[in-house]
Amino acid sequence: MSTNWQLTGVIGISIEHYIDALAGIDLFSGFSKEELRGIFRSSHYEIKDYNKNQIIHLQNEICQSMDIILKGKVAVQKIDQEGNVLTVHIFTAREHIGANLLFSTSNTYPLTIVAESDAVILHLPQELILELGQSNLSFMVALLKVISDRMLILTDKIKAISFKTIRQRIIDFLTYEYHIQKNPVIKLNYSKKDLAERLGIQRSS
């Protein structure tokens, strides 16, 4: 990924278009909109457009930013040597990626990050994250919570796909969707390919 951080990122995309969205994110709840404008006015960052299925970060790529999804969905995927894809998790607008890697001694992406749909992403370099943490305690607390939550997501996913039959994985998936949709009639808005990736099994299975 490019490290040429810019004030407005892609031409025509300004942070001003997303100030309301940022103010609604827990990480930035301790800042007023004017404070956010001031911080981003004097800091380096990048805003980029991504098309559906475009790779955002390759596995083993060095993490150089914490990414905030301003629009769209982003998938974390594991692709094996045979081309089989396991979708570990899907992040949606106002969620974050890379916070748990940015300050790690092993700061490479363990999996591939792909745009699940057309997406707009705000890339925040390490220097800006440090500035935000030093200027606002609530930001630092929220950041630590984000990092902890990411570890729980990974742990839960490993538990879900380890030593379980296809039947057990489907039951776990339906149980999860039941709690999310809060309805005994579960709507599956996925293709067979998407569902297979989420369950970590072959499509033919």
Side-chain angles (χ1 to χ4, degrees):
M1 295 299 295
S2 170
T3 57
N4 184 24
W5 305 106
Q6 307 170 42
L7 257 183
T8 58
V10 177
I11 294 175
I13 300 180
S14 168
I15 195 68
E16 185 61 34
H17 295 116
Y18 297 100
I19 284 294
D20 287 342
L22 285 176
I25 296 174
D26 288 344
L27 271 176
F28 300 101
S29 61
F31 297 94
S32 68
K33 292 180 183 179
E34 285 306 314
E35 287 174 327
L36 288 175
R37 288 187 178 97
I39 290 171
F40 283 99
R41 191 178 298 120
S42 61
S43 303
H44 295 293
Y45 62 90
E46 187 176 35
I47 298 178
K48 292 189 68 175
D49 273 317
Y50 292 91
N51 296 322
K52 182 178 180 180
N53 297 323
Q54 183 176 349
I55 293 176
I56 300 170
H57 298 293
L58 283 168
Q59 183 176 345
N60 297 321
E61 178 183 328
I62 294 175
C63 176
Q64 301 184 50
S65 66
M66 182 178 78
D67 302 341
I68 298 178
I69 304 166
L70 299 175
K71 181 181 179 182
K73 298 180 181 179
V74 170
V76 180
Q77 296 182 337
K78 172 67 176 178
I79 305 174
D80 64 22
Q81 295 179 343
E82 298 178 354
N84 298 313
V85 178
L86 168 63
T87 299
V88 176
H89 192 71
I90 292 181
F91 294 99
T92 57
R94 300 190 181 188
E95 292 191 288
H96 331 84
I97 298 172
N100 56 321
L101 298 173
L102 191 57
F103 297 96
S104 172
T105 54
S106 179
N107 63 335
T108 57
Y109 290 94
L111 301 171
T112 299
I113 313 296
V114 179
E116 178 77 3
S117 66
D118 291 346
V120 178
I121 297 179
L122 169 63
H123 300 280
L124 302 177
Q126 189 180 78
E127 294 79 8
L128 179 53
I129 298 299
L130 288 172
E131 179 184 341
L132 290 166
Q134 290 172 349
S135 63
N136 192 290
L137 179 60
S138 66
F139 176 88
M140 184 59 69
V141 172
L143 180 62
L144 292 173
K145 181 178 182 295
V146 167
I147 293 173
S148 299
D149 288 346
R150 292 296 175 267
M151 291 302 298
L152 288 175
I153 288 173
L154 179 59
T155 301
D156 289 344
K157 190 64 177 183
I158 291 173
K159 288 180 180 178
I161 65 176
S162 298
F163 310 112
K164 287 193 175 184
T165 65
I166 294 176
R167 177 186 175 87
Q168 289 172 322
R169 296 183 193 188
I170 291 174
I171 290 173
D172 287 345
F173 173 77
L174 293 176
T175 301
Y176 174 80
E177 288 295 327
Y178 167 74
H179 287 294
I180 294 296
Q181 298 183 27
K182 303 185 186 304
N183 193 321
V185 179
I186 299 172
K187 297 181 180 179
L188 297 180
N189 299 315
Y190 311 106
S191 65
K192 290 182 180 178
K193 176 177 177 293
D194 292 336
L195 192 55
E197 290 177 4
R198 286 171 180 264
L199 297 175
I201 60 178
Q202 296 286 342
R203 181 181 180 279
S204 57
S205 299

